[in-house]
Amino acid sequence: MTVVKPGGIIGIIGGGQLGRMLAMAAARLGLKTCIYSDEPHVPAFQVTPLQAHAAYDDRANLAGFAQLCDVITFEFENLPAEELSYLAGLRTLRPGPRALETTQDRLTEKSFVQSLGLATAPFFDIASADEAAQALKTLGGRGILKTRRLGYDGKGQAKISSADDAARALLQFKGAPAILEGFVDFAFEASVVAARGAGGEFAAYDPPENIHENHILRRSIVPGRLTPAQSHQAKVIAKTIAEALDYVGVLAVELFVMKDGALLVNEIAPRVHNSGHWTLEACACSQFEQHIRAVAGWPLGDPTRHADAVMENVIGAEADAWESLARSGALHLYGKREARLGRKMGHVTRLKPKS
Ligand code: AMP
């Protein structure tokens, strides 16, 4: 089993805020990180001198990067499958290529989740407007059409309630393969962030309730409205998924909590997750440190929560109010140069004594 000792280098594919917070956590443990990003001015480049700026399919640069690193991990999960297997031939990847390939495609992901006996929204593989119209009937006339790959924060998604809507959305997707999901009338949304170590040990954080606005996470609240039984069930779901994928690292499972109390799996993120940012202040070991520990082959840290927390994202121009935000709680700003509409610029976590 690969163990990265202090002084060793962890390669991180992707240079956004998740990579930045992973690099900062690694530094605390005396580990170095090398960031690989296809964009020049990314948040993670500001916190580590070891960096590669090259395309995600640039094999010469990927090979140089792999040679420098002791182990490679991801904060960006959409590396093409061919590049994933190429990298896997050069260095230990944690999580492994199978976890990424399974979760990159909504159809493969949902079929995998169902094969574990876990519930999801009903879904159909859609290749044409006719198929979408047919599936819509089965779903009672309402659904969400989603591209199978590369969708996030509501991108590549369209609410559908007629055959015309479906045809229009498919045109917008420019022929990208899609699935049609039944519209879920959930009570609220939640997620569970958990880790599996290189030796198979497992640790899960308390699952927060998540509030979305315009498809973007607005806030995570812990404890939220989940009952103790639902919190336990969410952790069991994460463990079932992590074990089936032989997963190493932190993963997040997004959940719909139904009015009858049932939990449906919406999506698996094979990485640290926005709904786990509160663990930086409210837990002995944050999700970022936990991921670094897992991929470095170290013992996992203690995920116990010692405070109640509300994490709120700072989106777009909201970052202009940094002074009052800094007064209001634990402020994290990601160092992004431009506050574009809908862009996550930072987050604030506010703690209260544990209830
Ligand atoms: P996703 O990209 O699949 O995580 O979807 C983003 C957000 O859209 C979710 O967090 C939900 O708020 C909403 N959403 C996605 N799928 C469904 C669904 N089948 N039914 C109702 N809302 C959904």
Side-chain angles (χ1 to χ4, degrees):
M1 185 181 96
T2 308
V3 174
V4 186
K5 299 205 177 102
I9 301 177
I10 296 175
I12 300 176
I13 303 272
Q17 61 267 21
L18 302 178
R20 176 183 173 104
M21 290 185 273
L22 284 169
M24 288 157 75
R28 213 185 82 174
L29 298 175
L31 291 159
K32 295 177 187 138
T33 46
C34 180
I35 308 291
Y36 191 111
S37 170
D38 68 347
E39 282 180 56
H41 301 291
V42 287
F45 279 173
Q46 295 168 17
V47 300
T48 170
L50 299 175
Q51 40 192 258
H53 167 214
Y56 289 125
D57 60 358
D58 178 338
R59 295 222 167 169
N61 270 303
L62 284 173
F65 169 74
Q67 207 159 36
L68 187 76
C69 302
D70 296 297
V71 68
I72 295 174
T73 189
F74 307 85
E75 65 103 60
F76 160 81
E77 66 263 45
N78 287 317
L79 204 67
E82 311 84 72
E83 268 51 66
L84 267 177
S85 22
Y86 176 68
L87 267 186
L90 302 172
R91 265 300 168 270
T92 303
L93 302 189
R94 288 177 174 156
R98 195 163 72 86
L100 277 96
E101 280 163 16
T102 308
T103 55
Q104 274 177 356
D105 180 324
R106 290 186 194 274
L107 181 65
T108 323
E109 177 184 52
K110 287 196 195 302
S111 311
F112 163 74
V113 169
Q114 288 198 344
S115 77
L116 300 175
L118 304 173
T120 69
F123 62 92
F124 294 88
D125 184 10
I126 299 296
S128 66
D130 279 352
E131 278 184 22
Q134 204 54 43
L136 197 61
K137 277 190 204 148
T138 320
L139 292 172
R142 223 151 64 112
I144 300 189
L145 202 63
K146 301 181 177 182
T147 55
R148 280 172 56 178
R149 291 176 172 273
L150 301 175
Y152 70 96
D153 286 351
K155 295 185 177 78
Q157 291 196 15
K159 270 192 198 163
I160 300 292
S161 52
S162 70
D164 282 355
D165 288 350
R168 226 173 292 127
L170 285 172
L171 268 181
Q172 253 173 24
F173 295 170
K174 299 192 174 91
I179 61 167
L180 182 65
E181 268 182 41
F183 189 83
V184 177
D185 191 18
F186 48 75
F188 61 93
E189 293 185 79
S191 60
V192 53
V193 175
R196 189 163 175 273
E201 66 276 36
F202 179 81
Y205 294 98
D206 283 347
E209 173 178 345
N210 299 322
I211 318 277
H212 292 85
E213 277 172 18
N214 305 320
H215 294 283
I216 301 174
L217 183 65
R218 173 81 266 177
R219 69 183 69 84
S220 291
I221 305 166
V222 58
R225 275 180 282 169
L226 289 110
T227 62
Q230 284 170 330
S231 290
H232 174 73
Q233 199 198 337
K235 292 178 185 182
V236 171
I237 288 173
K239 189 165 190 231
T240 306
I241 290 172
E243 282 177 356
L245 290 172
D246 196 19
Y247 197 89
V248 178
V250 164
L251 86 171
V253 183
E254 295 179 17
L255 302 163
F256 295 139
V257 182
M258 306 303 288
K259 289 171 183 153
D260 68 359
L263 301 183
L264 302 192
V265 173
N266 173 32
E267 197 164 49
I268 304 166
R271 51 170 169 78
V272 287
H273 194 256
N274 195 169
S275 69
H277 288 1
W278 57 272
T279 61
L280 280 163
E281 283 82 20
C283 298
C285 175
S286 76
Q287 64 163 347
F288 301 102
E289 178 178 339
Q290 195 72 294
H291 185 72
I292 294 295
R293 282 172 173 256
V295 303
W298 288 30
L300 293 185
D302 177 4
T304 306
R305 179 172 62 82
H306 53 68
D308 290 358
V310 177
M311 186 287 314
E312 187 133 22
N313 275 330
V314 177
I315 298 167
E318 290 166 11
D320 293 346
W322 56 270
E323 225 173 330
S324 62
L325 289 169
R327 238 176 250 122
S328 74
L331 176 63
H332 298 250
L333 291 173
Y334 307 146
K336 294 184 184 176
R337 300 207 296 189
E338 253 185 287
R340 271 184 253 130
L341 191 73
R343 196 173 202 203
K344 292 173 184 169
M345 303 300 290
H347 72 267
V348 186
T349 300
R350 299 178 182 108
L351 299 181
K352 276 199 195 136
K354 200 170 172 192
S355 52

